[in-house]
């Protein structure tokens, strides 16, 4: 069969010559100038300035449209108030003298005067730490802690065998009672998880002072109390006095304490304990007294420093400041509270 149309029908005819292209400029004449408004140097610079070769390892240039990152805010250091440091140093010295002299009144069958002194210090501890840390159900926690303090002192005096087991049971019972008291109220139930640490510190600190009564019933325990608490009191006092004169180098801008006070206080407290050890009878020696005094002094000054960091953290978190007296009594009281079980442990290990 043959097609009805010619095969060449409908097809475009290709020219025999080359395809037409853009007209080239006439030889010997320059190209025609560009039409449009003239381009200024400013526009040329905006479109693209002179490029510079980037070296190896050099970061790429950031465009002007990139948003600059916000600079970190510089926090000015907290001012160290000299009268306040001197006041805290005086309170630490008075507290240490009271505890050491109270330990000297203790004797076989005559523990009540020392127990009354310890109970007064425990009440100060409860007042300062509950007002500073403000756990939920503050009055309930304070009341339970005061009751635990009284029961701990009675148990430390009346038990047949001097030991820490009854005090440990009372600490656990007081902590559970304080937590359950916070769970009862619906308002405080939301914050009870956040306040577990504060409640535990208050109860354990109260019980820690009771270890001094137990230690006074052990042979050479009264002398150990004298050495350890003297070293702790001297360390706390010298550390605060050094902060009043030379708070350098600053450990943190938000904490008005210096490293020189912490180091010098611990060193002088250790020296004083070694001197006391040379005047005490066996089993004390200057070396043993220096060792147990060093542990007590370092524990006391570090506890005092930790209280300052905790207070700075609460202020930075936006919490309102607490009572002035309670806030500044917290450090020395916490230092002596942790120095008491440290003295008991060192007496059991080295004497």
């Amino acid at each position: 069969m043959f097609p009805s149309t010619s095969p060449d029908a409908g097809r475009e005819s290709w020219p025999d010559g080359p395809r037409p292209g853009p007209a080239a400029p006439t030889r010997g004449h320059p190209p025609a100038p560009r039409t449009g408004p003239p381009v200024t140097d400013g526009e040329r610079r905006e479109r693209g300035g002179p490029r510079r070769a980037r070296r190896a390892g050099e970061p790429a240039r950031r465009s002007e449209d990139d948003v600059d990152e916000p600079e970190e805010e510089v926090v000015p250091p907290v001012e160290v108030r000299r009268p306040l440091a001197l006041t805290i140093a005086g309170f630490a010295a008075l507290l240490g003298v009271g505890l050491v002299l109270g330990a000297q009144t203790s004797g076989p069958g005559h523990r009540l005067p020392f127990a009354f002194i310890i109970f007064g210090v425990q009440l100060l501890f409860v007042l300062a730490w509950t007002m500073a840390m403000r756990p939920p159900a503050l009055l309930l926690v304070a009341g339970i802690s005061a009751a635990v303090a009284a029961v701990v002192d009675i148990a430390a005096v009346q038990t047949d065998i001097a030991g820490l087991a009854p005090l440990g049971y009372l600490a656990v019972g007081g902590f559970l009672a304080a937590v359950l008291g916070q769970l009862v109220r619906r308002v405080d139930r939301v914050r009870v998880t956040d306040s577990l640490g504060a409640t535990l510190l208050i109860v354990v600190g109260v019980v820690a002072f009771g270890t001094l009564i137990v230690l006074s019933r052990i042979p050479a325990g009264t002398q150990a109390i004298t050495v350890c608490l003297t070293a702790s009191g001297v360390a706390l006092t010298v550390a605060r006095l050094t902060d009043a004169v030379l708070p350098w180098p600053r450990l943190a801008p938000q904490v008005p304490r210096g490293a020189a006070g912490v180091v010098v206080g611990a060193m002088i407290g250790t020296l004083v304990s070694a001197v006391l050890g040379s005047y005490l009878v066996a089993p004390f020696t200057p070396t043993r007294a220096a060792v147990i005094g060093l542990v007590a002094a370092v524990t006391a000054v570090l506890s005092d420093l930790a209280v300052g960091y905790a207070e700075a953290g609460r202020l930075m978190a936006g919490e309102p400041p607490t009572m002035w007296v309670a806030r500044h009594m917290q450090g020395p009281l916490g230092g002596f509270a942790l120095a008491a079980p440290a003295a008991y442990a060192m007496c059991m290990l080295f004497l």
Side-chain angles (χ1 to χ4, degrees):
M1 296 178 65
F2 296 95
S4 59
T5 59
S6 173
D8 295 334
R11 295 185 180 181
E12 296 180 358
S13 59
W14 295 94
D16 297 336
R19 299 181 62 182
T26 309
R27 295 183 179 180
H29 297 279
R34 297 178 60 184
T35 59
V39 180
T40 61
D41 294 340
E43 293 178 358
R44 185 180 295 108
R45 189 176 297 109
E46 289 179 0
R47 292 181 181 179
R51 295 184 179 181
R52 179 177 60 88
R54 184 163 58 92
R55 299 176 181 175
E58 183 180 359
R61 295 181 58 186
R62 298 176 57 187
S63 62
E64 297 178 359
D65 297 337
D66 294 340
V67 181
D68 296 334
E69 297 181 358
E71 298 181 357
E72 295 182 359
E73 183 180 358
V74 179
V75 180
V78 178
E79 181 184 0
V80 180
R81 292 179 288 178
R82 183 173 300 177
L84 178 60
L86 295 176
T87 303
I88 298 175
F91 173 71
L94 290 177
L95 186 59
V97 170
L99 289 173
V100 171
L101 293 180
Q104 302 302 318
T105 63
S106 179
H110 194 65
R111 315 285 182 187
L112 288 180
F114 187 42
F116 280 119
I117 294 174
I118 294 297
F119 182 68
V121 176
Q122 287 170 328
L123 292 181
L124 284 177
F125 182 88
V126 171
L127 172 64
W129 279 70
T130 52
M131 292 301 298
M133 306 192 77
R134 292 186 176 275
L138 187 146
L139 295 178
L140 178 63
V141 173
I144 292 176
S145 301
V148 170
V151 177
V152 162
D153 296 342
I154 294 173
V157 173
Q158 298 295 332
T159 52
D160 297 333
I161 300 175
L164 297 183
L167 275 63
Y169 298 146
L170 291 173
V172 174
F175 173 71
L176 293 178
V179 172
L180 291 177
Q182 296 172 9
L183 289 175
V184 170
R185 299 180 56 184
R186 180 177 299 178
V187 178
D188 302 325
R189 195 180 305 164
V190 180
R191 296 178 51 204
V192 68
T193 305
D194 300 333
S195 68
L196 289 178
T199 306
L200 181 63
L201 286 176
I202 295 171
V203 176
V204 170
V206 165
V207 176
F209 279 107
T211 59
L212 294 175
I213 303 176
V214 178
L215 186 58
S216 66
R217 299 178 57 184
I218 298 174
T222 302
Q223 295 178 348
I225 292 174
T226 302
V227 171
C228 292
L229 295 189
T230 301
S232 301
V234 170
L236 290 172
T237 304
V238 172
R240 292 290 185 169
L241 291 176
T242 306
D243 288 337
V245 178
L246 184 64
W248 182 87
R250 292 291 294 270
L251 297 173
Q254 298 82 11
V255 181
R257 300 294 305 274
V262 176
V263 176
V264 173
M267 293 175 61
I268 296 182
T270 305
L271 177 63
V272 171
S273 63
V275 172
L276 283 177
S278 62
Y279 289 99
L280 297 176
V281 298
F284 276 92
T285 61
T287 303
R288 290 182 176 180
V291 171
I292 65 176
L294 173 63
V295 173
V298 171
T299 303
V301 294
L302 290 183
S303 301
D304 187 16
L305 182 63
V307 169
Y309 274 92
E311 179 65 22
R314 287 193 293 267
L315 293 178
M316 292 179 64
E319 298 183 8
T322 56
M323 185 187 299
W324 184 88
V325 177
R327 186 168 67 251
H328 299 299
M329 288 169 55
Q330 188 184 8
L333 286 170
F336 281 107
L338 287 187
Y344 183 89
M346 297 304 294
C347 182
M348 294 292 102
L349 293 175
F350 285 90
L351 301 178

